Amino acid sequence: MLVLQRGEADIVQTPYGRKGFIQGSEMKKQRESQCTQKTISLLSPLGTIQVRGCENGVHTIQILMDVAPAERSGAAPLSRVVNDSPAETSPELQRGVEWLQAYFSEPQTTGSLPLPAFHHPALQGDTFTSRVLQVLLRDVKFGETVSYKRLAEMAGTPRAAQAVGGAMRRNPVPLLIPCHRVISSSGQSGPYMSGKGDHLKQWLLTHERQGREG
């Protein structure tokens, strides 16, 4: 496994590409909180998506739910607006936005696109949340789903299905790390965004199923 140095962060290069899970110390976490963040808003079929990050990586993705998916055509052109007024957008933030644009317009291509580095404390270090999200990102591909129980087994903690649900709720970068692909053992889609975005989860699963079939 090759570790690439980028500024204050260590980015792990795996056989699956640049997954961006930062292996950081407490000092790096403190530096992360002091980095200069920028925000880009992306108009998508889900409504407005805010992508926030710094030169080291993407911090958060927020789906504002300001429009129901049914009210915006999947064929509608995607556009982006820079909210902050930086002289230059960081390459990692730009990479994250480009990946999201491809996800909605040409979803079948996302498997070959590089992901941005991630620079959020929840994805740093060897925590349960970080491990589970890393397994999800690495092993559950576009158009696939996995149960909470099965994901717990894949992460080496077979009795932690309920804790896996908590890890999904703490995912700071939904879509990039596809917590919407984790469903109930019964086959029901289960909650999304603490139950407020269940309709978005259904839309995303349908979008991926159709993209895979197409």
Side-chain angles (χ1 to χ4, degrees), residues 8-9 20 22 28-29 31-33 35 37 53-60 117-124 173:
E8 301 293 345
I22 303 169
K28 287 180 181 177
K29 290 182 181 180
R31 290 174 180 171
E32 186 272 348
S33 66
C35 60
Q37 297 185 35
C54 67
E55 63 181 9
N56 293 315
V58 174
H59 286 240
T60 60
F118 302 133
H119 200 234
H120 186 283
L123 303 177
Q124 296 180 357
V173 285

Side-chain angles (χ1 to χ4, degrees), residues 86-119:
E88 183 178 344
T89 300
S90 74
E92 297 300 336
L93 191 56
Q94 173 69 23
R95 187 174 289 114
V97 169
E98 290 174 353
W99 192 96
L100 289 170
Q101 289 177 312
Y103 176 83
F104 290 109
S105 60
E106 298 179 290
Q108 68 279 6
T109 68
T110 55
S112 60
L113 293 178
L115 284 164
F118 302 133
H119 200 234

